[in-house]
């Protein structure tokens, strides 16, 4: 076995050497879902065409996502002959691709005004490592994401991949579990249960069939790191699964992926096939790995519901205990772990548990991966050591709230998490501190909100989500969330009543206590945290019919300030989707409040030197301007 | 695309009938076990883009379970739909990141312009509107998917243009076709 693997490694190294040795320019293009959404396919095509047209050769190397979603499509050009180090370009659309082929590849001018930086330290151009977005991060799980071609197993192996598996196979399973336990790795699926302990429980079972399931359901609407890892480095996850299977003695593994992630599905299928083709799956380690596509139900991320869904039933959770490790799929002991948990395993085995423990805090070791989105300048995936403060993530790494707006809150943990205000920005992110503050690590979604966000609307949004996703098995969750949602909707429409806040609080507590699974138990969190930290917004909605964030459409109005509006200017008229803007008798513009849908497009369209469109809440603050009667 | 562009309702039914009989054969490749229920439904939906009544009955018969049981499972999951989508299925992302950037107004705008509600298809089967929870491009929010292409940084004022583009494209194709026909 060792011999066979050594041969594979030799082959991988040979291929890598060959790739590195060529003098040809290399163009690395980020081709994960987010890159493709931003136009990476078009970019790649343009490069190919331009190279062909100009008769120059270069290697185009598709890679995964490095997590800098704000900069997509990301391209790194390595052009050794030019004398420049590899250069990182951002937002390379087709036009830029054409320009770069011409200017850099042909004429040797890297067009410094378009670069983000060099990827290695050098004397000519600043290196990207000098930016906080790069140097404050610590990549353990995502180290190879964006470096290697996810569809080529040899690239992963050339970077040391699968050596942990070989190492594991030569060791006693017990020592592997001990290593994982000592690393203090906690499950990254949300609850933070000790992975070592979970494996231990599965390993002591004497059942002759055991199953490993990788939970890649990722239902949180606003988190996508599991998808990115699967799309950028699927083999690291596969390796983690195989190590787990060896440690607990399982002979079957299932990867449960959302069917909404077609690219991830394709890449994993390909990865499994490659591992089989070169003998890693099969001769070196025998494990049956299958893929199951989830069908879009948030609750199926919950482990017992996930099992139900694989068995072909409605995904409704069961009471635990018995836990899946005792009585799981078809009654067999089943280890369920998250994608990030599995992806951490090869690194832990390779570098050892004490090395892993050096990163992070006492009770939460290692790194955390967040998808930071919403109102930040540089949204994307961020991998930081546990214990880093929220402030570092939001202001230093992600470049704070754009457009000179004020930060209002950050929502962490998706529908089960909570909203934290500015005072909590010094909170370190780890499992316990976040739970203590009322939020949750959850799936790792982090949505930043600025002063233009209405907190009541945010909690209504999450309740709308959980209410739709509630499976309906237990009463508290099914009916409780329905009423929570009703009350919140009423408040955002300006129909809030005295006593609503207290009712929300009571109902929330009851749902937390009475629900069967994690979905219901955590569903009121967004309501409770916003009530705790932003109570004045609820009160303003109910008492003054005023939305502080000016978001609730029933409580806000747009109008055009006639003093500022420029006579004869038509900029806003065509921007209005409902033709609500009319010309007044003084050839200025007015908004027909009956037709206005409050989309805010006119505000964007109005030239900044006039800045005539105003938004107010409550509605009464808007002056009434009548449409002139046409004769 | 599954459908040829300008099929009439009856043609569509013929295409469906043909696909249904293909599906009847495909199902037999699956082992008769309850665990295959969801994969079979997914296979049908991939072929037909939705689950017609006949197909549900077919599955129930094959797996020897009640039709209502199949419906129970199929309606539980958001992925499955029971009416055919349009030629250009529009999926408006209403995930958290898109929501805080005003996705609901974009959804409303599509609904208004196409005169259908979310979950519905236009009578000519050209467009359908659905809401989805996060397509995983939150950094480009607000996002709408039309067919397989992701429209990033959407704005309410872009809606009309997008729809118009597809309509113009279709008209051009029709004109082209008419021209070709007269040429012959
Ligand atoms: C409503 C709900 C949704 C969940 N969604 C996910 C999910 O999308 N991905 C995930 O890995 N775990 C999810 N979990 C947590 C799983 O139940 C389970 O704890 C986890 O997969 C265990 O893996 P870990 O030990 O690696 O964290 C969810 C739990 C609940 C209650
Ligand atoms: S929330 Fe819309 S893409 Fe994630």
């Amino acid at each position: 076995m060792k011999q066979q693997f050594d041969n594979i490694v030799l082959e991988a190294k040979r291929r890598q050497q060959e790739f590195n040795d060529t003098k040809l320019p290399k163009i690395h293009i980020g081709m994960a879902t987010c890159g493709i959404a931003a136009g990476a396919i078009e970019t790649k095509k343009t490069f190919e065409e331009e190279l062909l047209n100009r008769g120059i050769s270069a290697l185009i190397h598709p890679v995964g996502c490095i997590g800098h979603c704000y900069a997509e499509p990301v391209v790194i050009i390595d052009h050794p002959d030019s004398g420049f180090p590899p250069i990182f370009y951002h937002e390379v659309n087709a036009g830029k691709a054409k320009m770069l082929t011409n200017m850099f590849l042909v004429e040797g001018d890297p067009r410094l005004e378009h670069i983000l930086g060099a990827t290695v330290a050098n004397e000519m151009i600043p290196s990207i490592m000098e930016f906080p977005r790069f140097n404050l991060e610590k990549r353990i799980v995502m180290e190879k994401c964006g470096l290697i071609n996810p569809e080529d197993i040899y690239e992963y192996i050339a970077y040391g991949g699968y050596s942990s598996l070989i190492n594991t196979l030569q060791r006693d399973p017990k020592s592997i579990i001990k290593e994982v336990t000592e690393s203090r790795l906690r499950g990254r699926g949300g609850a933070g249960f000790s992975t070592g302990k979970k494996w231990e429980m599965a390993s002591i079972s004497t059942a002759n069939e055991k199953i490993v399931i990788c939970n890649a359901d990722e239902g949180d609407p606003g988190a996508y790191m599991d998808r990115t890892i699967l799309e950028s480095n699927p083999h690291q996850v596969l390796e983690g699964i195989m190590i787990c299977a060896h440690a607990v003695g399982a002979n079957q593994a299932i990867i449960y992926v959302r069917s909404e992630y077609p690219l991830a599905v394709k890449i994993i299928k390909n990865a499994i096939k490659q591992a089989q083709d070169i003998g890693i799956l099969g001769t070196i380690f025998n494990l049956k790995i299958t893929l199951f596509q989830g069908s879009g139900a948030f609750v199926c991320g919950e482990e017992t519901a996930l099992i139900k869904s694989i068995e072909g039933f409605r995904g409704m959770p069961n009471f635990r205990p018995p836990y899946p490790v005792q009585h799981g799929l078809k009654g067999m002991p089943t280890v369920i772990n998250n994608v990030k948990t599995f992806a951490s395993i090869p690194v832990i085995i390779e570098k050892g548990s004490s090395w892993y423990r050096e990163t992070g805090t006492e009770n939460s070791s290692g790194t955390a991966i967040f998808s930071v989105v919403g109102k930040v300048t540089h949204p994307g995936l961020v991998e930081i050591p546990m214990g880093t403060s929220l402030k570092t993530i939001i202001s230093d790494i992600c470049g704070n709230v754009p457009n000179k707006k004020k930060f209002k809150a950050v929502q962490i943990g998706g529908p089960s998490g909570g909203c934290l205000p500015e005072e909590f920005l010094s909170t370190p992110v780890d499992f316990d501190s976040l739970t203590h503050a009322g939020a949750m690590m959850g799936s790792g979604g982090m949505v930043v909100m600025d002063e233009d966000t209405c907190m009541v609307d945010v909690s209504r949004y999450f309740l709308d989500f959980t209410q739709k996703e509630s499976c309906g098995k237990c009463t508290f969750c099914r009916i409780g969330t329905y009423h929570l949602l009703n009350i919140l909707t009423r408040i955002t429409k300006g129909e809030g009543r005295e006593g609503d806040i207290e009712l929300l609080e009571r109902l929330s507590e009851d749902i937390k206590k009475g629900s069967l699974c994690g979905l219901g138990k955590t569903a009121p969190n967004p309501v409770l945290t916003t009530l705790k930290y932003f109570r004045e917004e609820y009160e303003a909605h109910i008492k003054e019919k005023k939305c502080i964030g000016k978001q609730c459409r029933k409580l806000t109005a747009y109008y055009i300030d006639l003093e500022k509006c420029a006579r004869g200017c038509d900029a806003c008229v065509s921007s209005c989707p409902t033709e609500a803007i009319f010309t007044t008798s003084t050839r200025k513009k007015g908004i027909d409040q009956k037709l206005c849908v409050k989309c805010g497009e006119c505000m964007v369209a109005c030239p900044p030197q006039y800045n005539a469109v105003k938004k107010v809440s409550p509605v009464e603050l808007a002056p009434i301007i009548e449409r002139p009667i046409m004769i | 695309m599954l459908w040829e562009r300008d099929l009439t309702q009856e043609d569509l039914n013929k295409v469906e009938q043909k696909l249904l009989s293909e599906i009847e054969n495909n199902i037999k490749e699956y082992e008769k076990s309850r665990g295959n229920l969801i994969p079979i439904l997914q296979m049908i939906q991939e072929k037909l883009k939705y689950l017609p009544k006949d197909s549900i009955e077919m599955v129930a018969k094959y797996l020897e379970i009640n039709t209502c049981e199949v419906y129970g499972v199929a309606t539980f999951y958001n992925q499955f739909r029971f009416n055919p989508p349009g030629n250009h299925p529009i999926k408006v992302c209403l995930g958290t990141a898109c929501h805080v950037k005003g996705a609901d107004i974009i959804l409303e705008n599509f609904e208004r312009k196409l005169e259908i509600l979310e979950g519905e298809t236009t009578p000519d089967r050209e467009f359908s509107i659905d809401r989805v929870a996060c397509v995983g491009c939150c950094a480009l929010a607000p996002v709408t998917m039309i067919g397989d292409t992701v429209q990033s940084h959407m704005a309410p004022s872009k809606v009309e243009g997008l729809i118009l583009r597809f309509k113009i494209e279709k008209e051009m194709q029709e004109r082209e076709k008419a021209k070709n026909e007269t040429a012959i």
Side-chain angles (χ1 to χ4, degrees), chain A residues 69 221 227 259 293 295-296 309 311-315 373-374 457 461-462 468-469 553 577-578 597-599 601, chain B residues 34-35 37-38 42 72 76-79 94-96 99 101 104-105 108-109 112-113 131 136 138-139 155-157:
Chain A
C69 308
R227 192 207 65 202
S259 59
Q293 295 191 35
S295 323
S309 134
E311 288 171 350
F313 293 89
R314 294 163 74 101
V373 294
D457 180 59
Y461 165 78
F462 281 115
K468 283 204 178 78
E469 294 296 334
R553 284 193 264 160
T578 54
V597 288
K598 303 176 190 173
C599 64
E601 285 290 298
Chain B
R34 177 72 194 237
L37 173 56
I38 293 174
Q42 282 169 337
F76 184 85
Y77 296 98
N78 299 330
Q79 183 193 9
L94 287 182
T96 320
H99 174 79
K101 295 202 170 172
D104 51 337
I105 301 179
E108 242 176 48
N109 244 355
R112 192 171 35 242
K113 288 283 179 248
R131 56 152 74 197
C138 314
S157 54

Side-chain angles (χ1 to χ4, degrees), chain A residues 187-193 198 215 217-219 226 298-299 301-303 336-338 341 517-519:
Chain A
R188 297 294 194 253
F193 188 77
K198 193 184 272 182
N215 186 345
D217 194 44
E218 196 162 62
D226 290 356
F298 174 61
V299 72
E302 202 279 342
E303 43 194 26
I336 302 183
N337 276 128
N338 175 260
T341 315
C517 84
L519 186 127

Side-chain angles (χ1 to χ4, degrees), chain A residues 235-503:
Chain A
H235 288 289
Q236 190 164 333
V237 182
L238 284 187
E239 188 178 0
I241 294 173
M242 289 187 224
I243 294 174
C244 171
H246 174 68
V248 304
N251 35 19
Q252 194 190 338
I254 299 172
I255 306 179
Y256 189 98
V257 202
R258 295 177 71 179
S259 59
E260 284 96 327
Y261 288 171
L263 185 62
V265 170
K266 180 179 142 240
I267 289 185
I268 305 167
K269 275 189 183 156
N270 178 48
I272 296 175
K273 186 170 172 299
Q274 283 186 343
Q276 284 164 343
D277 284 350
I278 67 169
I280 287 184
L281 259 179
T283 26
I284 292 184
F285 183 60
N286 197 7
L287 179 70
K288 185 176 161 229
I289 301 190
T290 45
L291 198 78
F292 190 92
Q293 295 191 35
S295 323
F298 174 61
V299 72
C300 286
E302 202 279 342
E303 43 194 26
T304 54
L306 184 147
I307 289 174
K308 278 266 175 234
S309 134
I310 296 181
E311 288 171 350
F313 293 89
R314 294 163 74 101
M316 291 183 167
N318 275 339
F319 187 74
R320 300 177 309 173
Y323 290 93
V325 278
Q326 301 155 323
H327 184 96
L329 187 61
K330 299 182 188 135
M332 293 180 270
T334 307
V335 177
I336 302 183
N337 276 128
N338 175 260
V339 173
K340 284 155 285 178
T341 315
F342 280 124
S344 309
I345 299 291
V347 193
I348 293 175
I349 301 297
E350 185 193 337
K351 306 219 168 130
S353 55
S354 47
W355 175 86
Y356 187 76
R357 261 199 336 259
E358 281 167 21
T359 310
T361 63
E362 179 65 22
N363 283 323
S364 308
S365 59
T367 54
I369 304 179
F370 284 101
S371 56
V372 188
V373 294
K375 308 277 179 74
V376 280
T377 317
H378 299 316
L381 292 187
V382 177
E383 180 170 1
I384 33 96
M386 289 272 189
T388 308
S389 75
L390 282 171
K391 191 170 171 19
T392 313
I393 302 179
I394 296 168
S395 351
D396 301 341
I397 301 184
C398 291
N400 235 329
V401 179
N403 304 333
K404 300 207 184 84
K405 297 272 184 185
K406 227 170 124 306
F407 171 89
K408 187 184 245 174
V410 52
Q411 208 282 344
I412 306 172
S416 348
C419 293
L420 301 181
E422 205 169 357
E423 301 91 88
F424 281 81
L425 279 182
S426 54
T427 313
V429 292
D430 61 57
F431 286 103
D432 310 313
S433 313
L434 284 182
T435 312
H436 189 74
M440 218 174 104
M441 193 72 132
S443 48
M446 200 183 267
V447 185
V448 179
M449 301 171 204
D450 66 5
E451 55 187 316
D452 289 346
T453 320
C454 168
M455 300 316 287
V456 185
D457 180 59
V458 167
S459 67
R460 188 201 58 80
Y461 165 78
F462 281 115
L463 253 296
D464 184 46
F465 181 81
T466 32
Q467 200 275 322
K468 283 204 178 78
E469 294 296 334
S470 166
C471 74
K473 186 165 178 173
C474 67
T475 330
F476 278 90
C477 179
R478 182 181 65 237
I479 298 176
T481 53
Y482 174 78
H483 283 289
L484 271 185
L485 176 64
N486 264 355
I487 300 172
L488 288 167
T489 311
R490 222 174 54 214
I491 297 178
T492 54
K493 280 189 178 159
E495 294 158 16
R497 307 177 198 140
E498 200 64 35
D500 270 353
I501 294 184
E502 292 71 22
L503 195 58

Side-chain angles (χ1 to χ4, degrees), chain B residues 68-79:
Chain B
C68 64
E69 187 75 8
V70 181
Y71 266 115
V73 171
T75 50
F76 184 85
Y77 296 98
N78 299 330
Q79 183 193 9

